[in-house]
Amino acid sequence: MTRRHFFLGPLLARHAFSQQSKLPTFADITARSRITFKNEASLTSQKYLPESMCGGVAMLDYDGDGWLDLFFVNGAALEDPMPPGKQPDKSDPRYWNRLYHNNHDGTFTDVTEKAGLRGHSYGMGVAVGDYDNDGRPDIYVTNLGRNILYHNNGDGSFSDVTEKAGVAGAGWSTSACWVDYDRDGRLDLIVARYLDWDFATNIWCGARKPGYRAYCHPDQFKAVSHLVFHNNGDGSFNDVSKKCGIAMSPGKGLGVAMNDFDVDGWPDILIANDSFPQQLFRNNRDGTFTEVGLKSGLAYDEDGNTFAGMGLDFADYDNDGLPDVFIDALGSQKYALFHNVKAGFEYVTQPTGVGGISLQHSGWGTKFFDYDNDGWKDLFVGQGHVMDNIELTQPTLRHLEPFLLMRNVSGKFQDVTRQSGDAMIEPRAARGVAFGDLDNDGFIDVAVNCNNRPAVILRNQGANGNHWLLIDTTGSTSNRDGIGARIRLVGESGLEQFAMVSSASSYLSANDKRVHFGLGQDRRARLLEIHWLSGIVQKLEGVAADQILKVTEPKP
């Protein structure tokens, strides 16, 4: 008898309770929070492709006060057209990236100048991780052009250490992921890149009549290799993209996430590609990777077609101990949900309800997260078509779309967007989305960077009586963040859940690294089991619910 069947009884009982409970709603608290960030895409008549793609957002506790702060990535000024060889200009404060400090009272303060995080170049995404194990989160910003690594100085400021670290990269970088892929106790860096594109090679796409010029399809441009930087432990990194094998499989990458899909104790890398086969890089446990997207059943949809992979997550939605895959797409394609069956992945978009819900939608930032704390991971998708004139050519689709919230009911998904608050149904052009508990109340909140529009902060108003746990890991032998640690939780009722410590997933964005579990009616966890990357297994019993639990890896 498999674990999934063994626990089916308690899990169904859990949902019998949760369906009778009041479901949480989300409130738009952007104005109240005093966050005034507006994404400046610098739209032009040239339809430069990056205009439609930016930008990302991160939730991180940069000053170690126990409260999540917010960092937004911005575009830069473009000329119409861009002169040959000229770079986008970020000198105007309207185009700066922005860091907001959490004031612990629902408001935030812009501390960008003090922090030294204005940035340069046309911004895309952000990744957060403590690469030097000093206990403070560092920030990596991806750009169209040179990327930036900011070292956290511990006094509220950051230093640009890109040149010393050797992680500038080149070309068009999108999402990035901190991961200790060789388990040496130091975080390495995976950077997805999109296309072989620059302003000089921009071409006309769409009909040649007023209003019909379009952002080009990625088929018009060549795939490029992704980047891998190995951490040397002295503040520098080596570019091992070719040596590790990942550069041997070029892609058109927009999203990146990590998990251990075959549960062998070594983190694997998932990359969402736009109109190109999806990629899964299996960790060979010797510093190299093998691309197994096709072999594992992840590369294409059920009809053998590519789709516009943009945002993604890599997590266990059905509580069977195996991480599954969600990748969203453009309207008319359906979002892709792949169930991990250990021997590979099955495309389960239709039987889980995701296909019917998502057919006419276009998705970007996304995540599996338990918004109602019932023990089942739900799905949030930030939406909006990439084409700002899509209604002219496909009248059934929309450029501006509401958010999408799909509630997980025992492994099947229901669209609960319209019953989740007015803030959820306002049409927007969402791009990067980050997830975390901004007010430390045990219910996960959402921050959205909207293309060429103001940011949106959604507060999860919770109040449904369900319990929760937030696990804040600190490594000792493993990397300081505990990234890559696999956590198993067993509740009082027999509910079993699994998660991995990571800040990566979504689209261009970084989430709270603390691991959140909903517990439903359970007032404690019977068992909390942490498998650290060092090989140490730590067990805690009888853990009380409704707390932020700090767990430090024991010494060998």
Side-chain angles (χ1 to χ4, degrees), residues 155-432:
D155 60 0
S157 70
F158 291 77
S159 297
D160 181 343
V161 296
T162 311
E163 293 307 316
K164 175 186 175 183
V167 292
W172 186 348
S173 298
T174 52
S175 294
C177 173
W178 291 103
V179 53
D180 181 7
Y181 72 84
D182 57 353
R183 295 178 28 172
D184 65 354
R186 300 185 293 265
L187 291 179
D188 311 300
L189 185 61
I190 313 288
V191 183
R193 294 197 295 178
Y194 187 34
L195 300 172
D196 183 9
W197 182 97
D198 60 34
F199 293 104
T201 60
N202 193 58
I203 59 177
W204 186 295
C205 293
R208 288 184 176 272
K209 54 184 180 179
Y212 278 77
R213 185 169 185 175
Y215 293 108
C216 290
H217 193 280
D219 285 352
Q220 299 291 329
F221 306 97
K222 293 180 181 179
V224 291
S225 60
H226 309 303
L227 302 175
V228 182
F229 297 102
H230 178 260
N231 190 333
N232 297 322
D234 59 0
S236 71
F237 293 74
N238 283 339
D239 184 340
V240 296
S241 309
K242 293 182 179 178
K243 180 180 178 181
C244 77
I246 285 183
M248 300 300 102
S249 299
K252 299 182 178 183
L254 290 179
V256 60
M258 54 83 69
N259 210 313
D260 181 5
F261 84 94
D262 50 2
V263 198
D264 66 352
W266 293 76
D268 309 300
I269 305 300
L270 176 73
I271 295 182
N273 287 306
D274 187 359
S275 304
F276 196 82
Q278 311 305 312
Q279 293 173 319
L280 176 62
F281 293 94
R282 184 183 184 275
N283 193 324
N284 296 326
R285 299 181 283 184
D286 61 0
T288 68
F289 292 84
T290 299
E291 204 288 299
V292 296
L294 179 60
K295 180 180 178 181
S296 67
L298 278 177
Y300 302 97
D301 67 15
E302 63 183 343
D303 298 317
N305 297 321
T306 60
F307 54 93
M310 296 185 289
L312 82 171
D313 200 12
F314 196 2
D316 179 14
Y317 77 87
D318 60 345
N319 294 333
D320 67 353
L322 300 172
D324 310 294
V325 168
F326 176 77
I327 305 176
D328 53 37
L330 283 180
S332 302
Q333 293 182 334
K334 296 179 293 191
Y335 299 162
L337 181 60
F338 296 93
H339 179 237
N340 190 332
V341 293
K342 201 163 187 178
F345 290 85
E346 293 180 349
Y347 185 89
V348 294
T349 292
Q350 287 303 118
T352 57
V354 171
I357 295 171
S358 66
L359 181 59
Q360 295 299 312
H361 294 302
S362 302
W364 301 84
T366 186
K367 186 171 175 58
F368 289 114
F369 78 116
D370 188 356
Y371 90 101
D372 55 354
N373 285 346
D374 69 347
W376 291 78
K377 295 179 183 67
D378 312 294
L379 264 171
F380 181 102
V381 186
Q383 302 188 131
H385 202 282
V386 66
M387 300 289 186
D388 55 4
N389 56 359
I390 189 63
E391 289 90 344
L392 293 177
T393 56
Q394 298 186 59
T396 61
L397 302 181
R398 294 291 179 268
H399 170 54
L400 303 181
E401 294 191 59
F403 300 130
L404 175 62
L405 180 60
M406 292 182 280
R407 184 168 183 253
N408 185 343
V409 181
S410 302
K412 301 292 181 68
F413 289 88
Q414 300 174 350
D415 185 349
V416 295
T417 307
R418 292 196 170 275
Q419 62 199 83
S420 299
D422 292 342
M424 295 290 293
I425 60 176
E426 182 177 336
R428 309 180 193 272
R431 293 298 185 264

Side-chain angles (χ1 to χ4, degrees), residues 545-556:
D546 304 330
Q547 64 166 316
I548 300 172
L549 181 68
K550 295 182 179 294
V551 182
T552 299
E553 178 186 16
K555 297 290 185 179

